[in-house]
Amino acid sequence: MNASSKFAGFALGLAAVFGIALAIGAAIGPDPTEPAAHDSNTHAEGPATTDGPNSEEYPAGLMATQNGYTLRLDTTQTSAAANVPLRFRILNPAGTPVTRYVRSHDKDLHLIVVRRDMVAFQHVHPTLDQTGTWSVPLDLTRAGDYRVFADFTAEGSDNLTLGADLRVAGNYDAQPLPAPATTSTVGDYTVTSSGAVTPGQASMVTLSVRRDGKPVTDLQPYLGAYGHLVALRAADLGYLHVHPEGHPGEGITPAGPGITFAVTAPSAGDYRLFLDFQHEGVVRTAEFTLSVAPGPAPTSSATAPEPAHGH
């Protein structure tokens, strides 16, 4: 074999080895000089988050931590008793207890406690010490799993409702959700509900108070209104922010018998309503089950939408 033939053979062998090396490199991973493959967990605008574009439609109270704030119970389990002290803190994004709040509905913080089957509802207002610890006694004579909601506005932040679970040991007499009804009886008071609720939009609901069949027209202000309404979604205890119409003393809103609220139900399904109202110096709570039917399906337009400008 002459020199030129030997060189040609060597070149062919080198090309074969180099080709094998390229094949192995392709099998192991992409060339580092090539763009990385698309990751379905990232987006052009930034990393994926738990807050979707319609996150404002979700009810509150489903999380113990939101926007950096955390509801921290001193204990998450206790025994059934009539006067159980509950202590908790609201921690800010730095992990320190919040000590300054913005007052809303006459209070710095509203605490709602209810068993998960919607019985044993309590709306109380704990006291805050200088260390940022809230404390309040609760009636926990009925054992079971409870949800604790803290509704508050920390100074310099937006209003939040955080939720945490509290387990009360003992014999658990779970109750079925009461059937939907438009009337509720509390002693010699009867409260009637009127108004249809459509999912996804503010709906006006009026709760009218009567005593012994006669309209009550001298309701007393309670928490800055003639009534305070808490609405919870039965499926997951999602907490709805409900706002009363009008204010006592402004010369427009009557002191009964009707109290009107704007209720926004995020979805169809069953909800439990708890109305606190005050008359003759006593606060009473009327309870309802509200069934929200699915709303009309959205209609599509035959005309293509204008392109959006900006974000």
Side-chain angles (χ1 to χ4, degrees):
M1 182 179 294
N2 57 30
S4 60
S5 298
K6 289 181 179 181
F7 180 79
F10 175 77
L12 289 174
L14 181 62
V17 172
F18 186 67
I20 294 172
L22 286 178
I24 293 174
I28 292 175
D31 186 341
T33 62
E34 293 294 324
H38 174 70
D39 184 354
S40 62
N41 293 323
T42 60
H43 304 274
E45 296 81 7
T49 66
T50 57
D51 294 330
N54 297 320
S55 60
E56 70 276 3
E57 297 178 2
Y58 296 135
L62 297 178
M63 297 183 291
T65 298
Q66 186 177 357
N67 295 353
Y69 290 87
T70 298
L71 168 60
R72 180 73 53 81
L73 304 182
D74 276 11
T75 181
T76 58
Q77 184 165 331
T78 187
S79 298
N83 196 14
V84 178
L86 179 73
R87 292 166 56 86
F88 65 94
R89 291 164 293 159
I90 304 297
L91 305 181
N92 65 17
T96 58
V98 177
T99 58
R100 299 178 67 87
Y101 293 82
V102 178
R103 181 152 293 201
S104 176
H105 297 292
D106 292 343
K107 299 293 179 181
D108 286 348
L109 184 144
H110 298 264
L111 194 73
I112 307 299
V113 182
V114 64
R115 206 169 68 173
R116 281 196 167 270
D117 59 354
M118 297 292 191
V119 305
F121 173 87
Q122 297 173 73
H123 178 180
V124 295
H125 302 102
T127 57
L128 178 67
D129 66 19
Q130 294 181 347
T131 70
T133 298
W134 294 91
S135 58
V136 65
L138 297 176
D139 180 4
L140 300 176
T141 52
R142 304 184 72 169
D145 292 331
Y146 284 74
R147 189 68 173 169
V148 177
F149 300 95
D151 186 342
F152 65 94
T153 303
E155 190 174 83
S157 183
D158 297 328
N159 176 259
L160 287 173
T161 300
L162 302 178
D165 286 337
L166 175 65
R167 177 162 293 179
V168 180
N171 294 324
Y172 183 13
D173 59 334
Q175 301 295 312
L177 184 72
T182 57
T183 60
S184 175
T185 301
V186 186
D188 52 357
Y189 292 83
T190 300
V191 182
T192 303
S193 172
S194 62
V197 176
T198 301
Q201 60 183 255
S203 305
M204 295 302 165
V205 174
T206 299
L207 302 173
S208 300
V209 183
R210 292 176 174 267
R211 185 181 189 183
D212 295 328
K214 299 179 181 179
V216 176
T217 58
D218 57 347
L219 291 171
Q220 297 167 319
Y222 177 63
L223 302 176
Y226 287 123
H228 189 279
L229 183 65
V230 170
L232 301 174
R233 189 164 59 183
D236 55 7
L237 270 67
Y239 183 101
L240 278 59
H241 288 287
V242 181
H243 304 285
E245 294 292 304
H247 303 279
E250 98 280 61
I252 299 175
T253 305
I259 315 166
T260 300
F261 299 88
V263 179
T264 302
S267 65
D270 290 333
Y271 293 80
R272 192 69 171 158
L273 308 184
F274 302 90
L275 171 69
D276 292 329
F277 65 94
Q278 182 169 264
H279 188 235
E280 295 183 351
V282 178
V283 177
R284 297 168 175 84
T285 303
E287 304 181 8
F288 298 84
T289 297
L290 172 68
S291 184
V292 176
T299 57
S300 59
S301 173
T303 304
E306 293 283 341
H309 299 283
H311 178 71

